[in-house]
């Protein structure tokens, strides 16, 4: 793991309230493809949700994929999906948790990035 990734993981560890969520995120990262922390941090900065909210949402996303029997973990596509959920969410006081928004979107629309291409 590069020094930059180590620093990013430490920042994430400090942002996550529940240590169990961080441990699940670390396991998720081990199987993820093309992890781009800089892009993740940039996306987080452009939303009303915290880095901790994003990590919790990504961990829930990972669990949803596991329950669906899907092995792929395209990190960039997953982070992009979470970002789209933040854009679609109403920006009001007492808004739903990001985790809830992501899970609801997955149930309503699925996740095409892991679908087998049509021949």
């Amino acid at each position: 793991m590069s020094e930059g990734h180590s620093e990013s993981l430490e920042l994430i560890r400090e942002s996550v309230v529940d240590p169990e969520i961080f441990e699940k995120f670390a396991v998720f990262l081990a199987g993820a493809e093309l992890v781009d922390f800089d892009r993740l941090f940039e996306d987080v900065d452009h939303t009303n949700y915290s880095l901790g909210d994003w990590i919790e949402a990504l961990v829930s996303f990972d669990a949803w994929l596991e329950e669906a029997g899907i092995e792929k973990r395209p990190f960039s596509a997953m982070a992009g999906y979470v970002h789209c959920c933040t854009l679609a969410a109403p920006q009001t006081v007492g808004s739903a948790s990001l985790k809830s928004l992501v899970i609801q979107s997955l149930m309503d629309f699925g996740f095409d990035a892991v679908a087998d291409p049509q021949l």
Side-chain angles (χ1 to χ4, degrees), residues 9-60:
L9 280 176
E10 188 56 36
L11 178 63
I12 290 169
R13 181 188 305 271
E14 293 169 4
S15 299
V16 176
V17 175
D18 183 348
E20 186 177 329
I21 296 290
F22 178 78
E23 294 305 320
K24 288 179 180 180
F25 184 70
V27 170
F28 158 67
L29 283 181
E33 304 164 5
L34 303 172
V35 176
D36 185 352
F37 287 120
D38 291 337
R39 177 66 187 260
L40 174 66
F41 296 149
E42 183 178 316
D43 285 348
V44 171
D45 285 345
H46 290 103
T47 70
N48 291 330
Y49 293 96
S50 71
L51 179 57
D53 294 333
W54 275 70
I55 299 307
E56 182 181 37
L58 285 165
V59 167
S60 296

Side-chain angles (χ1 to χ4, degrees), residues 50-117:
S50 71
L51 179 57
D53 294 333
W54 275 70
I55 299 307
E56 182 181 37
L58 285 165
V59 167
S60 296
F61 198 155
D62 177 56
W64 185 89
L65 290 172
E66 185 174 326
E67 287 177 22
I70 299 169
E71 293 183 23
K72 289 182 179 180
R73 295 300 183 272
F75 184 88
S76 293
M78 292 171 71
Y81 192 98
V82 173
H83 189 250
C84 286
C85 290
T86 67
L87 297 173
Q91 302 301 315
T92 60
V93 175
S95 294
S97 74
L98 184 54
K99 169 185 165 180
S100 297
L101 291 170
V102 169
I103 296 303
Q104 188 62 53
S105 292
L106 288 166
M107 291 187 314
D108 291 347
F109 309 110
F111 182 53
D112 290 342
V114 293
D116 289 330

